Amino acid sequence: MCEHCVTLSPRGDKQAVEEGALFMPKFDGAGLITAIAVDANDGQILMVAHMNQQALEKSLASGEAWYWSRSRNELWRKGDTSGQIQTVHEILVDCDQDCLILKVTVAGDGGCCHTGRRSCFYRRVDRKTDGPVTLSFTEGPRSR
Amino acid sequence: MCEHCVTLSPRGDKQAVEEGALFMPKFDGAGLITAIAVDANDGQILMVAHMNQQALEKSLASGEAWYWSRSRNELWRKGDTSGQIQTVHEILVDCDQDCLILKVTVAGDGGCCHTGRRSCFYRRVDRKTDGPVTLSFTEGPRSR
C-alpha cells in the first residue's frame, strides 16, 4: 500500500458524514485536521497535533504517525529526530469527521512531548477563589 | 467563586508557558482553544469541542463544562437541552497551553454525542489496499 493508493472521499451530506461508512475527513480553513495521539496500551492522551491531507495519507499508508508542524511549517514524521516514532494501531474519527484519535505505541524512550515528558499534559489547572489561576505539575521534568 | 473572579494570565515567554505554574491559555485566531472531554471514570474520550475565553471562565468558575458552538455561534452549557450536563473534575493543559483535557462525569443518559451515542468517536478508520478508505462502527446508533 503506497501513499498514492489512499483515497479519501469528498465530503458528503450530514447523513453520509455522520452515519456513513466512508472516510470523509474535514480539513479546516488552514487545511488541517486535529489528531489526538493516545497510548494504545493504557489510553493516556499523549499529545494533540495536526495533519494536513498529505500527513494523513502518509500515516494511513505507512502505519506511522506523520503530522503537519504549524510552527515549522513542514511535514513531519514524529520521531524523526527524537527516535520517538509512533506506530499507529488504530484510528478513530468523530461524528462530523473533523477530529481523529490515533492509538499509538511509541519507540525510543517512549516519550511524546518535546519537553522530555511522556505526555504533553503534565499540568493540572487549579481551582481557587482569587488571584491568577495556577497549575500543578503531575509529571516532573525529564532529562532533555 | 464567580466567573468574574477567574483570572487567566497573559501569555509569557516559552519558558513561562511550558514550565511555569501560571495558567496562560492560548486562544487561536478565532479566539478558541480546543477542549477534549474525557470520562473521569474510565478515561474514554467522549468529544472534542472548543471554548472561547468566556466559556473557559464559566467552566472554571462553575465546575460545569461550557463551550463555544462554532456551528451555532453561541456560548453553550453542554447538556442545557439534552440534560447531559458535564461536571468537571479536573482540567489538564498541554505544554504550549493551547489544548485542554476535561475529566468529566456526564448527567442525564450519560451520552455526549448529538447522534445519541456515548462518545463522538464511534467509527474506526479501516486500512485497506485499494478503493476509498472506509469506516467500521464501534458503537451502534442509539435512540435519538
Side-chain angles (χ1 to χ4, degrees), chain B residues 69 98 107:
Chain B
S69 167
D98 69 353

Side-chain angles (χ1 to χ4, degrees), chain A residues 1 5-9 14-24 34 36 38 43 45 48 50 59-63 70 88 90-101 113-115 117 120-138 141, chain B residues 1 5-9 14-24 34 36 38 43 45 48 50 59-63 70 88 90-101 113-115 117 120-138 141:
Chain A
M1 180 165 166
C5 304
V6 174
T7 307
L8 307 179
S9 299
K14 187 177 164 74
Q15 173 72 15
V17 167
E18 295 185 352
E19 300 297 336
L22 283 179
F23 188 35
M24 303 171 168
T34 301
I36 307 169
V38 171
I45 297 178
V48 174
H50 297 83
S59 299
L60 283 167
S62 69
R70 295 182 300 178
V88 180
E90 188 172 289
I91 300 178
L92 300 173
V93 63
D94 72 345
C95 46
D96 53 359
Q97 300 204 30
D98 69 352
C99 189
L100 305 173
I101 296 174
C113 184
H114 74 287
T115 66
R117 297 174 178 89
C120 295
F121 294 89
Y122 50 84
R123 287 172 296 181
R124 179 188 303 120
V125 179
D126 302 321
R127 290 193 68 197
K128 49 188 299 214
T129 51
D130 60 356
V133 177
T134 55
L135 304 174
S136 299
F137 284 77
T138 60
Chain B
M1 180 165 167
C5 305
V6 174
T7 306
L8 307 178
S9 298
K14 187 177 164 74
Q15 174 72 18
V17 167
E18 295 186 352
E19 300 297 337
L22 282 179
F23 188 35
M24 303 172 169
T34 301
I36 306 169
V38 171
I45 297 178
V48 174
H50 298 83
S59 298
L60 283 167
S62 70
R70 295 182 299 177
V88 180
E90 189 171 289
I91 300 179
L92 300 174
V93 63
D94 73 345
C95 46
D96 53 0
Q97 301 204 31
D98 69 353
C99 189
L100 306 173
I101 296 174
C113 183
H114 74 288
T115 66
R117 297 174 179 90
C120 295
F121 294 89
Y122 51 85
R123 286 172 297 180
R124 180 189 301 121
V125 179
D126 301 322
R127 290 194 67 199
K128 47 186 300 212
T129 53
D130 60 356
V133 177
T134 55
L135 304 175
S136 300
F137 284 75
T138 59

Side-chain angles (χ1 to χ4, degrees), chain A residues 11-121:
Chain A
R11 295 286 283 182
D13 62 15
K14 187 177 164 74
Q15 173 72 15
V17 167
E18 295 185 352
E19 300 297 336
L22 283 179
F23 188 35
M24 303 171 168
K26 181 180 183 180
F27 299 95
D28 68 12
L32 301 177
I33 190 167
T34 301
I36 307 169
V38 171
D39 187 292
N41 295 312
D42 65 12
Q44 185 181 10
I45 297 178
L46 299 173
M47 59 183 278
V48 174
H50 297 83
M51 293 178 168
N52 63 2
Q53 182 169 336
Q54 192 183 0
L56 177 55
E57 289 172 349
K58 279 182 172 289
S59 299
L60 283 167
S62 69
E64 293 177 346
W66 288 74
Y67 300 103
W68 177 258
S69 167
R70 295 182 300 178
S71 55
R72 297 192 305 274
N73 238 2
E74 65 178 19
L75 201 65
W76 161 49
R77 186 175 71 142
K78 173 69 182 170
D80 247 353
T81 54
S82 66
Q84 299 167 341
I85 299 287
Q86 296 181 350
T87 299
V88 180
H89 298 274
E90 188 172 289
I91 300 178
L92 300 173
V93 63
D94 72 345
C95 46
D96 53 359
Q97 300 204 30
D98 69 352
C99 189
L100 305 173
I101 296 174
L102 276 66
K103 297 189 178 179
V104 303
T105 48
V106 182
D109 66 1
C112 265
C113 184
H114 74 287
T115 66
R117 297 174 178 89
R118 178 169 187 248
S119 165
C120 295
F121 294 89

